[in-house]
Structure formats: structure tokens, C-alpha cells
Amino acid sequence: MHKRLNRAALAGLVAILLVGAGTENHAQGQYSRKTPITEAVEKTRNSIVTIKVERQGNWGRNEVVGTGVIVDDRGYVVTNCHVVTGCDKVSVQLADDTEIVAKIVAEDAAHDLAILFVKTTRKLVELSLGPASDLKVGETVIAVGHPFGYTNTVSTGIVSAKGRDIPTPTGGRLHNLIQTNASINPGNSGGPMLNINGELIGINVALREGAQGIAFALNADTVQRVLSKHLSAARMARVAHGLVCSEKVVAEEGDDRQQVVIDRVAEKSPAAAAGLKAGDVLVKIGDRKVTNRFDVERALWSYKSGDELKASVLRDGKATTFALTLVKGEPIATVSTEDVDIVKK
């Protein structure tokens, strides 16, 4: 009797295990292959471009391929200075394979950054600069580019270290770099380093020759400063606002975790006349929401001296709006952009 019961119990147990195994296999078949990495790559794809550079060499014309990122939907692209320096012709190939001849509007060799402009009648897909001051060593990063001409190659790694300084071939030094073990090779130069949420936290710039898993990216905070200098409202629209701003990270997650804080207001400037003060958090200028200091500058590109617009701020936690009347401003940077046509939104 006991033997018959044991056999029956065993048979039942086997049946349960088999049913359970079948259920588990069925559940595994329903797992989604979508991950934060695939989502980050997908949502940033249209903002990443191929940079094609032609140079005259000893044995004829050579074409070099690099990577770039659209930073303003009116046609502005950032890449590495070493990608385009000394070129005879540079063009930008968009994600849909449209190729447009580009103009170099600024070269900042000290930071190995260059800004290109492509004239187009359509609005491009820009990739906003995210905060990089809150980077965590060990967090996942994504590098996208065209290594050795293999376009749109994606590699992943981690932040290996922060605040690295490295020498450049011209005898200078690059500062405050992000070190990563993501696979970066020739052709990745100028391309984006993304965090797991698809935020642009850096521009890939260099690899350690002769080593494996040691590469570097310019910190997004550095890129913001360079863009704000060379594409300032004074240079692009010949207007002055009188604001000196910086970014502040206020939360771990969310689209509003980076705020723009007014550090200083120039005396007798439009900002001072409007009543803006140091410590105010800028939320919006005109029609543009601002999340970094570059947003402050490009919000004014379509205005002229004498125009009045609204500046929305948080002061002591309360929303307040001021009327900002622009005045004529002179550019500080030395690179001319007079023959660059701004594509109005």
C-alpha cells in the first residue's frame, strides 16, 4: 500500500514539475528585449551624425570619418576640433543618410571642440546636454560613433574615473575628462557619451594608445561652457543680456534635475534693469525652457536690440516673471560668423 502511495505521489510530483517547467519556459518567451540601453540608443539616433572630412594629402585627397552631435535644431553640430582642423571640405551626414556641406563656425583647440553649421530648411533633432557634475564612478555609459568607418556602432562600459587630465599631441592638456572602458576607436571622435537615460554627458575625444579599455570623453559641463562662449547671444544676434549663469543638479532623477542659477548680474545691464538677481533660478527665457547655460544664449538668437521678452524664474521657491529688454551687445569671441545664416524656428 505504501509503495503504491509513494509511486503515486512521485508521479504527481513529476507531473507538477513538468507543468511548472513548461510554465517557466512560456514566461521566459514573453520577456522583452527592450532595455534602458536599447531605449537610449533609439531615442538619440536622429541626433547623431557622421562627419566626413576631405584633406589634400601627399598622395591625393583623403577622406576621414568622425562623429558629431546636433546641439541645436537650427543646424548646429559639435564635434572634436582634431576631426576637422585643416580640412578642405567638411560635410554632415544625417541619420536618414542626407548629406549636407557644413561650415566650421568655431574651433576651440584648447578644449578640442569644433562647432559646425549646416544650412537646412527643416528642423533637425537636437540632443540636449545633460548634467555631468553628478556622474558616479561605476555607472553605465554608452558610446556611439563610426569607428574605422563602421557607422552607428554602439558600445557600452562604465565610468572608470572622473576628473582626468591628459596631454594632447600639440603639447596642451585636456582637463576634467571622463575615463571609460567603453570601446572607443578612431572614428568615434566627436560622438556622444550617453548615460543610461540617453542624456548627453560627454563628447568622446581620445583613447590611450597601446592600452585596452582606457578611453576619455570631454565632460558635458565643459561642452556647455564652450558652446555658450562661441554661440553666445552677443555673437549670434548682437544682443546683450547681462547674465552670468551656471548649472546646478538638484535631484537624482527627472528631466528637471538640472537647473540654471544666476551667479551674477552685470551692472546697468538688461537683466539688472529687469530686476533679476543672483540666486534666481532661470526657468524660461522667451519661448525656450532653459536647463543649461547654453539654452540661455540660444534662446535669444532670434531677437534684436530693443526687443522685450519674458524671463521666468524661481525666487525663494516662488515663480516670478520679469520683462527683459535687450540692448546691443558685441561678441567677445574672435571667430567670425557673419556669413552664417541662422535658420529661424
Side-chain angles (χ1 to χ4, degrees), residues 177-200:
L177 302 183
I178 303 166
Q179 182 183 331
T180 182
N181 65 345
S183 181
I184 293 176
N185 292 284
N188 279 108
S189 292
M193 174 177 283
L194 310 169
N195 65 16
I196 200 69
N197 294 317
E199 295 176 320
L200 180 65

Side-chain angles (χ1 to χ4, degrees), residues 83-100:
V83 172
V84 298
T85 295
C87 69
D88 300 314
K89 178 183 177 183
V90 58
S91 59
V92 168
Q93 183 175 310
L94 305 178
D96 64 0
D97 293 332
T98 300
E99 192 166 321
I100 309 171

Side-chain angles (χ1 to χ4, degrees), residues 260-272:
V260 179
V261 180
I262 299 176
D263 292 332
R264 183 170 59 86
V265 177
E267 294 183 3
K268 300 180 181 180
S269 67

Side-chain angles (χ1 to χ4, degrees), residues 40 86 158 185 223 237 242 310:
I158 62 170
N185 292 284
V223 181
K310 292 180 180 180

Side-chain angles (χ1 to χ4, degrees), residues 205-267:
V205 65
L207 57 93
R208 178 61 187 246
E209 191 173 357
Q212 294 183 355
I214 301 179
F216 302 94
L218 295 161
N219 191 299
D221 293 343
T222 299
V223 181
Q224 289 172 2
R225 291 197 299 272
V226 171
L227 289 172
S228 299
K229 173 186 174 182
H230 293 286
L231 297 182
S232 66
R235 288 195 62 216
M236 306 303 289
R238 300 298 192 269
V239 295
H241 48 69
L243 295 169
V244 178
C245 304
S246 63
E247 296 82 15
K248 177 183 178 182
V249 177
V250 295
E252 285 293 319
E253 302 295 340
D255 294 337
D256 59 349
R257 66 191 180 95
Q258 179 172 257
Q259 293 181 342
V260 179
V261 180
I262 299 176
D263 292 332
R264 183 170 59 86
V265 177
E267 294 183 3

